[in-house]
Amino acid sequence: MTQPPRPPLPWTTRISVAVASAVTDAARRSNGTVNRRLLSLLDARSPASAKPHRGVRSADVVVDQARDIWFRLFAPSDSAAAAGEPFPVIVFFHGGGFAFLSPASRAYEAVCRRICREIRALVISVNYRLAPENRYPAPYEDGTDVLRFLDRGGLASADPAAADLSCCFLAGDSAGANIAHHVARRWAAGAGWERVRLAGMVLIQPFFGGEERTEAELRLTGMPLVSVERTDWMWRAFLPEGADRDHEAANVFGTRAAAAAGKLEAALPEAMVVVGGFDPLQDWQRRYYEGLRSRGKTARLVEYPDAIHAFYAFPELKQAAALMEEIKRFVDAHRSK
């Protein structure tokens, strides 16, 4: 049998992804639960810092203490910020298969700081409830509640930075990109929005799926971080008890999707969909892009043939820098729309 190709990675990155894979594998149990105690020892975290670091300051803002919904706000701290320049807002949902990590996790702290600094935007990194303790639709509800909090003026009372909520983007990676899509659908279906206008979605290697095994899932075995065995476990932990992977949360354009989906998708903002050539999920991501296009939506597909899943979290990879440039172009193109 022909062995699948190996992604071209520096040895330092290979070690990092091997450690990350080992941590999640050790924390997830065969009975579908997560060893949170073990994970708390292995998930390195960083505190928010009001003191600027490389032009960015951060603060944690509570939305709903009872449900532990909060976000980490990253804001530019340079002269433009001091002058009250309004910044676009990027609401970011972290990845982790719906079950792992948080805005305080060191990797996401670094990614969101970089987005804030390079894109020149306020970044709101959402802490949503995790599976399996909180299954579907908990993170979708939490994300929508954060948008409602912003729409009611919660950001203005939490931080003095000037936010342009009429130029708001939903962004996320992996499971976070899945959440961004579903929160955008809820925004489109909702009523009474006064301040928040969604200008676009940035979906980085979104985590979608289905009962079918795609060509990439079968071909790209042994890849870092993502495997069929791992993603199957994550869907079982997240989806309602008894549901399969053709549930509309996973297979968003599948035959079981809600009958009203077409009308909701028509109201979605423009999307930028990012795909990596060594990501086993890539076929589902391209189907999502094609699904948007077939429904008359403007969508942009950005592909990195040599990229693994979560490549953006490793600044030593050239594709990580290229992605920041693409996000900046996408955001800048929508600032005045």
Side-chain angles (χ1 to χ4, degrees):
M1 179 181 293
T2 303
Q3 293 296 315
R6 298 292 96 184
L9 297 173
W11 67 268
T12 52
T13 309
R14 291 186 182 279
I15 292 174
S16 295
V17 296
V19 169
S21 297
V23 167
T24 55
D25 286 347
R28 58 185 179 90
R29 301 185 177 108
S30 59
N31 65 358
T33 61
V34 174
N35 187 334
R36 297 289 178 201
R37 179 174 296 180
L38 175 63
L39 198 61
S40 68
L41 300 174
L42 301 176
D43 179 15
R45 301 195 173 196
S46 299
S49 175
K51 181 178 180 180
H53 175 65
R54 296 184 63 190
V56 176
R57 57 184 172 78
S58 60
D60 291 341
V61 179
V62 175
V63 175
D64 185 333
Q65 189 170 9
R67 290 184 292 160
D68 195 29
I69 303 173
W70 55 272
F71 60 80
R72 179 158 295 179
L73 171 67
F74 298 86
S77 59
D78 55 16
S79 57
E85 173 187 325
F87 295 105
V89 175
I90 299 176
V91 180
F92 184 88
F93 300 94
H94 67 81
F98 304 104
F100 303 102
L101 305 176
S102 86
S105 296
R106 195 164 294 168
Y108 284 107
E109 163 83 12
V111 166
C112 289
R113 280 186 177 276
R114 187 174 186 182
I115 293 173
C116 175
R117 182 173 59 251
E118 298 192 19
I119 280 64
R120 304 285 303 154
L122 299 183
V123 178
I124 291 172
S125 184
V126 178
N127 188 74
Y128 53 86
R129 290 171 292 168
L130 299 176
E133 297 88 347
N134 300 279
R135 293 175 175 266
Y136 165 92
Y140 306 160
E141 295 172 341
D142 298 348
T144 306
D145 286 348
V146 169
L147 286 190
R148 289 289 184 191
F149 177 86
L150 300 178
D151 198 62
R152 293 193 300 266
L155 186 58
S157 62
D159 190 273
D164 183 2
L165 288 172
S166 69
C167 188
C168 183
F169 297 80
L170 297 185
D173 70 299
S174 195
N178 174 298
I179 295 169
H181 163 82
H182 285 282
V183 171
R185 287 191 66 206
R186 287 169 179 249
W187 172 85
W193 297 102
E194 297 180 1
R195 295 180 176 87
V196 172
R197 172 189 167 272
L198 294 189
M201 299 185 293
V202 179
L203 307 181
I204 307 169
Q205 298 180 291
F207 184 22
F208 297 122
E211 283 297 293
E212 174 192 351
R213 296 300 187 196
T214 68
E215 186 275 336
E217 287 175 316
L218 296 174
R219 172 173 53 88
L220 294 173
T221 58
M223 291 296 110
L225 300 173
V226 172
S227 67
V228 166
E229 188 271 333
R230 290 182 180 122
T231 56
D232 282 359
W233 184 95
M234 291 169 180
W235 287 126
R236 287 194 300 271
F238 173 64
L239 294 174
E241 294 281 358
D244 64 24
R245 296 186 303 275
D246 281 331
H247 186 278
E248 65 173 345
N251 195 349
V252 296
F253 294 137
T255 56
R256 296 187 203 164
K263 295 180 180 179
L264 293 179
E265 261 76 64
L268 292 179
E270 182 176 342
M272 170 179 153
V273 182
V274 180
V275 176
F278 283 95
D279 185 354
L281 300 174
Q282 62 185 272
D283 291 337
W284 293 110
Q285 294 155 4
R286 290 194 185 92
R287 288 185 191 183
Y288 174 77
Y289 163 78
E290 292 162 0
L292 290 176
R293 293 292 299 271
S294 69
R295 287 160 175 78
K297 295 306 301 176
T298 302
R300 181 180 176 196
L301 185 66
V302 179
E303 299 195 64
Y304 297 102
D306 290 336
I308 62 170
H309 194 80
F311 69 92
Y312 41 84
F314 303 97
E316 66 271 19
L317 300 180
K318 63 181 181 180
Q319 299 97 331
L323 175 60
M324 290 297 159
E325 294 175 2
E326 290 288 349
I327 296 174
K328 180 171 176 56
R329 277 193 286 269
F330 184 77
V331 171
D332 286 348
H334 293 78
R335 282 182 193 256
S336 59
K337 290 187 178 181

